[in-house]
Amino acid sequence: MSHLDHTPSTPGKFKIDKSPYYSRTRWHSSVAKLTLWSSLFVALIFLFFYRSPSSSSNNPPSSDPSRRYLASATWGGAAWEKRVRTSARIRSRNGFSVLVTGAAGFVGTHVSSALKRRGDGVLGIDNFNDYYDPTLKRARQALLERSGVFIVEGDINDAALLKKLFDIVPFTHVMHLAAQAGVRYAMQNPGSYVHSNIAGFVSLLEVCKDANPQPAIVWASSSSVYGLNTKVPFSEKDRTDQPASLYAATKKAGEEIAHTYNHIYGLSLTGLRFFTVYGPWGRPDMAYFFFTKDILKGKSIPIFEAANHGTVARDFTYIDDIVKGCLGSLDTAEKSTGSGGKKKGPAQLRVFNLGNTSPVPVTDLVGILERLLKVKAKRNVMKLPRNGDVPYTHANISYAQKEFGYKPTTDLQTGLKKFVRWYLSYYGDKKAVAR
């Protein structure tokens, strides 16, 4: 049994506010805070339109594939509409019809597959951009198609496409997982974060608030919103007004935007703050993934340490546990209260931490990979760069446990074993991977 199994699921207690709107009142305790985030939103929109990658000398005009896509996407026709309806058809009693954005992504693929297995209707949408290898996304797409999930190739900023999908299917729920991920990439391509995480979210919410009936929405925020917060474990009641990266700032802006659409239009919105998700079919830009690749190739891997040789640790959360949290949030989401863009009553607004509650030093992660791969890593220890990374993350999951019984069950040793087995199977044997 792993030492992680002995770690309490909720180290550190906090008292849950019994009011269903506690998170809302907590976030908006002052006009100053609202002004701060409104200013941030305006600044980010300015950045997107006037300092977009296409106008930067550091990036070629085509560096933002999601923007290229809007000019070239094609969809529609009888055969296309039939595929949309078939994929979204509910096949179980009391099932949902769910639009999953970012369905070809890591979490999106696993959530779509789980929803389909239990009989829900599932339709995906993804723009298949090249932030990381699109062939991996296409392989995930093929996996979902074999289970009956159709992924529409399109961008969430394409309002006409989204409206068309809602005209064809009266979605009961939206699982919004499309986003520009990654903390460090924001320093290279800031406009892509505004495009996907802010403009894309608003585009989706605009279509949802005009839908009749309005769907309930569950969406991916991030543990990055805790930023420079030093209180651990991180609780949903903690301050989140000190983002350490542009990525974190866009996710925090998303939470404020969610509050706005909930307040004005009666949309039911649940935000999920994911903590370092890992597992099979994962993202190649994540440390556990490229560590595995580079260890097998005999390349050195960067091991960051905090100030004064401090430990850098992450609350690594296995994908199956994240999926349980996503489905639990979806199952407990209340209906939106608006219709055709008009609010008829107060609507549900929630934010949950989804983590493993067992932070593990990155050095321990490397040690586990060494044992699983039977290869010694070439470690290059260096100071944690000032690029948005934080030294420590730790989730308090008491609220998710209370609301829908969320309880992660996979420790890092077990989860990495499953990931390595998939990695070697997907990329071939060790010799093939090393070439």
Side-chain angles (χ1 to χ4, degrees):
M1 180 178 290
S2 167
H3 71 283
L4 298 178
D5 294 336
H6 299 290
T7 306
S9 60
T10 52
K13 297 180 179 179
F14 73 100
K15 185 176 180 182
I16 298 288
D17 192 328
K18 300 301 182 181
S19 167
Y21 310 108
Y22 83 90
S23 57
R24 187 185 324 180
T25 57
R26 183 73 178 180
W27 295 344
H28 303 275
S29 57
S30 69
V31 174
K33 183 179 291 187
L34 183 60
T35 302
L36 169 67
W37 287 106
S38 297
S39 300
L40 173 64
F41 176 76
V42 171
L44 288 172
I45 291 295
F46 178 87
L47 173 67
F48 174 61
F49 284 109
Y50 296 100
R51 294 294 303 275
S52 64
S54 59
S55 62
S56 172
S57 60
N58 297 324
N59 296 285
S62 61
S63 62
D64 189 345
S66 59
R67 297 190 71 182
R68 293 200 311 272
Y69 192 89
L70 288 175
S72 59
T74 58
W75 44 264
W80 179 85
E81 291 189 17
K82 182 178 180 181
R83 293 190 71 185
V84 167
R85 290 192 182 93
T86 300
S87 185
R89 185 175 301 134
I90 300 171
R91 301 182 185 278
S92 66
R93 186 178 181 183
N94 300 321
F96 301 146
S97 181
V98 187
L99 174 65
V100 180
T101 71
F106 173 32
V107 179
T109 296
H110 284 272
V111 170
S112 296
S113 180
L115 290 170
K116 197 68 174 181
R117 283 197 303 270
R118 71 179 198 175
D120 292 322
V122 183
L123 179 70
I125 181 172
D126 203 292
N127 68 4
F128 295 92
N129 68 35
D130 57 4
Y131 167 61
Y132 61 81
D133 185 8
T135 60
L136 179 58
K137 299 179 183 182
R138 294 297 181 184
R140 297 185 189 129
Q141 177 188 30
L143 189 72
L144 288 179
E145 285 186 346
R146 289 196 291 272
S147 65
V149 177
F150 175 44
I151 300 181
V152 173
E153 189 163 353
D155 194 283
I156 56 173
N157 283 281
D158 189 341
L161 171 57
L162 292 179
K163 289 176 182 177
K164 181 65 175 179
L165 295 178
F166 273 85
D167 286 343
I168 298 171
V169 180
F171 295 106
T172 61
H173 295 73
V174 172
M175 178 66 70
H176 177 47
L177 301 171
Q180 175 59 64
V183 169
R184 302 168 197 169
Y185 183 62
M187 299 181 72
Q188 302 174 39
N189 191 357
S192 67
Y193 289 78
V194 180
H195 177 84
S196 296
N197 302 354
I198 296 181
F201 192 26
V202 170
S203 173
L204 178 67
L205 293 177
E206 278 292 303
V207 174
C208 289
K209 60 97 169 170
D210 288 334
N212 191 8
Q214 291 178 336
I217 303 163
V218 177
W219 70 283
S221 181
S222 171
S223 61
S224 294
V225 300
Y226 291 108
L228 302 179
N229 178 39
T230 57
K231 173 186 168 294
V232 291
F234 299 156
S235 162
E236 292 90 345
K237 287 189 173 184
D238 291 344
R239 64 184 299 180
T240 55
D241 59 352
Q242 302 178 94
S245 67
L246 178 61
Y247 169 69
T250 61
K251 285 299 186 179
K252 174 59 180 177
E255 293 187 356
E256 301 298 323
I257 291 167
H259 175 274
T260 301
Y261 276 79
N262 169 270
H263 173 69
I264 297 177
Y265 301 110
L267 284 174
S268 170
L269 283 145
T270 300
L272 303 178
R273 294 173 178 171
F274 296 154
F275 281 72
T276 317
V277 190
Y278 73 100
W281 297 99
R283 280 183 15 223
D285 64 316
M286 298 292 287
Y288 73 94
F289 200 114
F290 66 77
F291 279 180
T292 299
K293 177 182 178 182
D294 289 344
I295 289 173
L296 288 171
K297 286 187 174 182
K299 294 183 176 181
S300 63
I301 58 174
I303 307 295
F304 297 133
E305 61 179 18
N308 300 316
H309 304 288
T311 299
V312 172
R314 292 288 181 268
D315 198 348
F316 296 102
T317 312
Y318 189 63
I319 183 61
D320 288 357
D321 292 323
I322 290 293
V323 170
K324 291 175 186 176
C326 289
L327 269 59
S329 300
L330 206 69
D331 291 341
T332 56
E334 296 175 0
K335 292 182 179 181
S336 293
T337 61
S339 177
K342 295 183 179 180
K343 180 179 178 180
K344 296 183 178 179
Q348 185 182 54
L349 180 68
R350 308 179 295 175
V351 172
F352 294 113
N353 286 338
L354 293 186
N356 196 50
T357 76
S358 300
V360 178
V362 173
T363 52
D364 289 5
L365 174 141
V366 175
I368 295 172
L369 288 175
E370 288 176 323
R371 291 191 293 273
L372 292 172
L373 297 169
K374 296 180 174 57
V375 178
K376 189 70 174 176
K378 296 178 181 179
R379 306 185 186 206
N380 182 19
V381 180
M382 59 183 69
K383 292 182 180 179
L384 187 68
R386 295 175 63 86
N387 59 6
D389 277 322
V390 294
Y392 195 82
T393 62
H394 185 182
N396 183 323
I397 60 170
S398 299
Y399 185 35
Q401 283 183 322
K402 173 178 175 290
E403 291 298 303
F404 51 85
Y406 175 69
K407 184 178 180 181
T409 59
T410 308
D411 62 74
L412 187 60
Q413 171 78 32
T414 302
L416 284 178
K417 184 176 182 180
K418 293 179 179 180
F419 165 73
V420 167
R421 184 184 301 120
W422 167 82
Y423 186 95
L424 296 176
S425 173
Y426 181 78
Y427 288 102
D429 61 26
K430 294 182 181 179
K431 291 182 179 179
V433 173
R435 286 199 293 270

